[in-house]
Amino acid sequence: MDPRAAHTQSLLRSAIVTLASDRPITEITVKDIIELAGVNRSSFYQHFESREELLAVALEHLETEMARADEPVIITDVSRPPAELVRFMHHFADNAGLYRGVFGPNGSALVVARVRARILELVRAGILISPEYRRLTDLPVDIEAAGTSGALLGVIEAWLAQDPLPAPETAADWMWSVLTRTRPL
């Protein structure tokens, strides 16, 4: 990719994340984004069709940086959530305002669908590459990944709706309990 285009996209991603951390996407204009990013309107539309697409791409970028999907999940103690899951929850806690806006009543269906698809992709990849993974069911991988990602997102959405926000470690314990059907510590 052209370094100038990459720089412009980075500025736009940073601007939308900053803006969407404070207010719903429905209240953010392209003018707000380009002013904060320091780029012109044509540069915005050269790279993105809408503010929703920009937000979806920005979240995918953040989640890719956080996920490290090419690293296997290492489960050393099934009574506790793996460190990767705790790291995942810290990502959501660090960006709680942003994700509350995404999943909230004024969120964008496009952005939510892309976040859901991304989490499904990460879960599926994790199932396929994890050497510690042992099939406990006869479900097809895609079905198991869909169920797991749906459970994860359900816990994330319910956790983010709480005020004050419980610790990421608590949310990871809740998720692990849902996924393993064990009682949280």
Side-chain angles (χ1 to χ4, degrees), residues 2-53:
D2 173 17
R4 291 177 296 164
H7 179 69
T8 299
Q9 288 181 18
S10 177
L11 291 172
L12 290 166
R13 284 193 314 265
S14 178
I16 193 68
V17 166
T18 298
L19 292 167
S21 293
D22 295 329
R23 55 188 162 154
I25 188 70
T26 55
E27 295 177 12
I28 299 169
T29 65
V30 171
K31 183 180 178 191
D32 296 333
I33 298 165
I34 63 174
E35 285 179 355
L36 185 57
V39 302
N40 61 43
R41 186 174 291 274
S42 64
S43 292
F44 175 90
Y45 286 109
Q46 183 178 0
H47 299 285
F48 302 100
E49 290 182 18
S50 67
R51 61 191 179 183
E52 289 85 0
E53 180 192 14

Side-chain angles (χ1 to χ4, degrees), residues 161-175:
Q162 296 193 16
D163 189 23
L165 186 67
E169 292 79 8
T170 300
D173 284 341
W174 292 342
M175 264 187 200

Side-chain angles (χ1 to χ4, degrees), residues 46-96:
Q46 183 178 0
H47 299 285
F48 302 100
E49 290 182 18
S50 67
R51 61 191 179 183
E52 289 85 0
E53 180 192 14
L54 171 58
L55 181 55
V57 168
L59 290 175
E60 287 167 0
H61 186 79
L62 285 174
E63 291 160 3
T64 298
E65 288 178 341
M66 175 276 311
R68 299 184 213 146
D70 57 337
E71 295 179 12
V73 174
I74 299 170
I75 300 170
T76 56
D77 179 359
V78 293
S79 69
R80 298 200 173 277
E84 294 82 1
L85 185 57
V86 175
R87 184 181 73 235
F88 185 70
M89 295 316 297
H90 273 279
H91 164 76
F92 281 94
D94 292 345
N95 297 283

